[in-house]
Amino acid sequence: MDSIPANRRLWNQISSAYQHEHDPQIGATPRLWGMYSIPDAHLHALGDVTGKRVLELGCGAGQWSRELAAEGATVVGLDLSEAQLAAAARAMGAARYPLVQGAAEQLPFAADSFDLVFCDFGGLSWAPPHLAVPQAARVLGRGGRLVFNVASPWFEACYDEAASRVTTTLQQDYFGLNTIAEDDGATSYQLTYGDWVKVLRGAGLIIDDLIEPRPELGTLNGYNETDPPDWAHRWPAELLWVTHKP
Ligand SMILES: C[S@@+](CC[C@H](N)C(=O)[O-])C[C@H]1O[C@@H](n2cnc3c(N)ncnc32)[C@H](O)[C@@H]1O
């Protein structure tokens, strides 16, 4: 299934409202992961990037890329949406980095171009993982890392579409989450734990860690209502995979 045209259209449509609503949270301080803005300093997923060749897959307005460039990485921000890339261009800091329009499932880079490929609810949430993970592995050099944060299957299986909130009731089958219909014909993707392991190992990657970011009690979710409000303090809302290419 080719979700590129519809996903590009959706992100072009929503970019301005999305940044207006979420940039104050996503960009509040450097290196914040996910829906609960948990600092990387607590999770230790990315590590030192000084001098590394870094690709952000689905960089949006570049809140992460801007910071890593400022830290001394050689960053490329890739995104499908020209409106999101325009937002990243406007928000660029003193450390300039290139922005590339492209899709995570068809990366326009040669093999061994990067030391780190990463995203936070980016290309590995919005491109079919069985295509995007091998692409990420291909462009990594030996020893390079693929690190990415996505919604957990718990979060997706408990999401009540009609009420637009995450609940304590299983709403969707776990087996068969796969594709999630988003607004205006767009699609996001979700795998079971077992399928993530298969796809990562199938692309030749070694899994070093699976971090389950846990917000402090009372931390707000900037995206989805949860019932109870402390849902993500009690169950894992996100999966932060840390892998490398041997
Ligand atoms: C939720 S944003 C992630 C960016 C940033 N971390 C954030 O939280 O705003 C998702 C981004 O993925 C991009 N995207 C959607 N489909 C994509 C694809 N197939 N390849 C690369 N980027 C894609 C969208 O344009 C959007 O900028």
Side-chain angles (χ1 to χ4, degrees):
M1 163 188 182
D2 181 4
S3 51
I4 292 175
N7 286 1
R8 178 177 166 205
R9 207 165 43 240
L10 174 73
W11 280 98
N12 280 338
Q13 273 164 19
I14 67 173
S15 173
S16 163
Y18 176 89
Q19 295 305 337
H20 182 73
E21 188 177 349
H22 298 296
D23 177 66
Q25 180 184 346
I26 307 170
T29 58
R31 287 187 175 229
L32 298 176
W33 285 110
M35 298 182 279
Y36 292 87
S37 296
I38 302 181
D40 190 51
H42 296 178
L43 300 175
H44 307 291
L46 227 48
D48 183 12
V49 297
T50 315
K52 303 265 191 246
R53 302 168 298 165
V54 176
L55 171 65
E56 183 172 7
L57 278 183
C59 62
Q63 292 89 351
W64 269 101
S65 285
R66 180 178 63 213
E67 169 58 21
L68 301 191
E71 290 177 24
T74 303
V75 178
V76 175
L78 174 126
D79 203 283
L80 190 56
S81 150
E82 55 269 29
Q84 289 283 78
L85 290 168
R90 285 194 297 273
M92 195 159 297
R96 317 290 297 173
Y97 63 93
L99 295 166
V100 173
Q101 186 166 24
E105 52 271 68
Q106 300 170 1
L107 289 179
F109 307 107
D112 188 10
S113 293
F114 297 99
D115 306 306
L116 171 67
V117 176
F118 83 102
C119 60
D120 189 10
F121 282 83
L124 289 174
S125 301
W126 291 90
H130 73 280
L131 300 177
V133 169
Q135 283 289 303
R138 179 182 65 76
V139 301
L140 279 173
R142 288 173 83 94
R145 301 192 308 143
L146 172 64
V147 178
F148 62 97
N149 191 30
V150 295
S152 80
W154 291 69
F155 190 87
E156 300 292 359
C158 292
Y159 189 77
D160 182 342
E161 206 59 61
S164 301
R165 73 167 74 100
V166 183
T167 68
T168 53
T169 307
L170 291 172
Q171 310 277 351
Q172 262 81 240
D173 288 359
Y174 170 80
F175 295 111
L177 284 170
N178 298 328
T179 56
I180 296 167
E182 304 284 351
D183 290 345
D184 295 324
T187 304
S188 66
Y189 296 86
Q190 177 57 263
L191 301 184
T192 63
Y193 288 88
D195 283 346
W196 275 120
V197 170
K198 275 194 197 71
V199 166
L200 290 165
R201 286 172 54 94
L205 297 169
I206 306 288
I207 298 168
D208 297 310
D209 203 355
L210 172 54
I211 300 170
E212 296 175 301
R214 185 185 187 198
E216 298 292 335
L217 199 58
T219 310
L220 289 181
N221 176 331
Y223 296 82
N224 302 95
E225 196 183 323
T226 65
D227 178 17
D230 65 350
W231 193 99
H233 187 71
R234 300 170 66 184
W235 295 281
E238 298 174 352
L239 306 181
L240 178 46
W241 292 95
V242 180
T243 73
H244 78 273
K245 178 169 172 173

